[in-house]
Amino acid sequence: MKIMVFDVPAESGGALTVLHEFYNEFKKDISNEYILVVSKPKLKETQNTKVLRFPWIKKSWIHRIFFDQFIAPRLIKKFAVDKVISLQNIMISHSKVYQTVYVHNALPFSDYKFSIFRNKFLWFYQNIIGKRILSSIKNSDQVIVQTEWMKSNCIRKLNIDEKKIIVMPPKVSSKAKGMFDCTNTSLSTFFYPANGAVFKNHNIIIDACINLKDKGIYDYKVIFTLNGNENKHIHELFVKVKSLELPIYFVGKLSHETVFEMYSKSVLIFPSSIETVGLPLLEAKIHNSPIITYKQPFSEEILAGYERVDFFVDLDSTVISDLMKKMINRRLDYY
């Protein structure tokens, strides 16, 4: 069977991880031929995988729309493929070939509604792209999601046959040298590997640190995988942290190996409110790391039965600062 796989948005972060995960599986399936359509990632062609790169797609949304509407359908016809797998949440238009859509964006299912005046991009993605994602889920032949809660939401929201949806949890292989090492330093180091999207809620951690400062607590540090200029929102937070001299460090993007090493010597703090999985939760869990996280369907599913977790039910900086103080003071029931 000849299968064409589309993932032109993937360039970094979780999306790129998903692409590599599938690519590694495709290479093993020598009974089928795969044609991967990407933008900038450089994937090595193998006996059964061919790679088509279109880096110009990343120039603008206009380029992306042009590709989706005109180039992608032509590629399907040109290579006479038997099946299409879209790893980009949305099925390919103007094609009657059997399509499987991998959905890993939770924005269309979020109860929180973004304002067009405060965040145009997220409003556009949630309301315009989100409708295309929901339409793709409904009209595709098969859907792959990462979690049971996503499957349940798809069925409830779109009233579709549950047999059409496959749950495929992300695979995580640890490259760390060891499990979490309980020391005074590790229990007072809080790690948050996340991008600069507003729903990642870095601001609530900063407010919690202000609360700790008011209580005279300084013997800890927080690490953000941001450089401080990702967007206007993050830059404002960066300036606030510097002006208040809070022990928060903007270290920029870290390698996958470095992130895994951080899990062995820090507490994961994860206040993100919109995730399909929340991959850091899964990664920290396999390192047996302490976790402070927002109680949401994705976090409850991933951390079900895990003992080293403290949930907070509201985005309340006072509650979060109390949980951080508990860690700093080493008053942990499981140690």
Side-chain angles (χ1 to χ4, degrees), residues 43-314:
L43 303 174
K44 185 178 180 180
E45 293 189 346
T46 66
Q47 177 185 353
N48 69 320
T49 59
K50 179 179 180 61
V51 181
L52 305 178
R53 295 179 69 246
F54 298 87
W56 56 264
I57 293 171
K58 290 294 185 176
K59 289 183 179 180
S60 70
W61 272 101
I62 299 300
H63 289 82
R64 169 67 190 278
I65 293 172
F66 177 78
F67 178 87
D68 286 350
Q69 295 298 314
F70 300 102
I71 305 300
R74 291 178 186 176
L75 289 175
I76 294 173
K77 292 180 180 179
K78 177 182 177 179
F79 288 90
V81 300
D82 303 297
K83 180 180 178 179
V84 167
I85 299 177
S86 172
L87 300 180
Q88 53 196 37
N89 299 293
I90 297 173
M91 64 187 297
I92 305 302
S93 303
H94 316 301
S95 176
K96 295 182 180 180
V97 175
Y98 185 99
Q99 291 201 45
T100 295
V101 177
Y102 183 76
V103 180
H104 52 95
N105 191 303
L107 273 174
F109 300 96
S110 173
D111 293 330
Y112 183 85
K113 302 304 178 184
F114 292 97
S115 167
I116 190 173
F117 302 107
R118 294 182 179 179
N119 198 311
K120 291 182 175 61
F121 174 78
L122 288 176
W123 180 90
F124 177 81
Y125 204 100
Q126 186 176 55
N127 293 276
I128 306 302
I129 303 300
K131 288 182 178 180
R132 291 191 62 195
I133 292 175
L134 295 177
S135 176
S136 294
I137 294 171
K138 192 172 184 66
N139 296 315
S140 62
D141 299 288
Q142 185 181 61
V143 179
I144 300 174
V145 296
Q146 296 174 308
T147 52
E148 291 290 344
W149 85 265
M150 276 287 287
K151 177 177 180 177
S152 298
N153 270 267
C154 288
I155 296 170
R156 176 182 57 79
K157 195 175 185 73
L158 300 170
N159 193 29
I160 58 178
D161 187 350
E162 66 175 295
K163 296 178 182 178
K164 171 178 171 176
I165 306 176
I166 298 173
V167 178
M168 187 182 296
K171 296 179 180 179
V172 177
S173 58
S174 174
K175 296 182 180 179
K177 295 180 179 179
M179 297 294 100
F180 176 75
D181 184 17
C182 180
T183 66
N184 288 347
T185 300
S186 63
L187 290 174
S188 58
T189 301
F190 301 91
F191 181 49
Y192 188 25
N195 62 36
V198 66
F199 57 81
K200 297 294 184 178
N201 299 315
H202 288 84
N203 60 298
I204 202 72
I205 298 178
I206 293 172
D207 289 343
C209 291
I210 293 173
N211 293 339
L212 292 176
K213 181 180 180 180
D214 292 341
K215 296 176 182 177
I217 299 173
Y218 302 96
D219 57 337
Y220 71 96
K221 63 180 177 180
V222 176
I223 298 173
F224 289 161
T225 54
L226 302 170
N227 55 41
N229 60 8
E230 281 77 4
N231 52 51
K232 182 180 178 182
H233 169 67
I234 293 300
H235 181 67
E236 290 175 351
L237 295 181
F238 177 80
V239 172
K240 184 177 183 179
V241 165
K242 295 302 178 184
S243 65
L244 294 174
E245 298 182 335
L246 299 174
I248 299 175
Y249 300 86
F250 290 71
V251 300
K253 185 178 179 180
L254 301 176
S255 68
H256 191 256
E257 183 177 353
T258 302
V259 169
F260 271 50
E261 289 176 356
M262 284 299 302
Y263 292 131
S264 68
K265 52 187 179 184
S266 63
V267 176
L268 177 69
I269 184 166
F270 199 82
S272 178
S273 54
I274 302 176
E275 302 284 341
T276 50
V277 174
L279 198 56
L281 297 174
L282 184 57
E283 293 171 341
K285 178 182 176 181
I286 65 175
H287 286 78
N288 209 26
S289 307
I291 299 172
I292 297 174
T293 189
Y294 192 15
K295 191 173 185 178
Q296 292 289 286
F298 64 86
S299 58
E300 288 187 285
E301 180 173 338
I302 293 298
L303 299 174
Y306 188 60
E307 294 183 352
R308 293 187 170 185
V309 58
D310 283 305
F311 288 105
F312 50 90
V313 296
D314 296 305

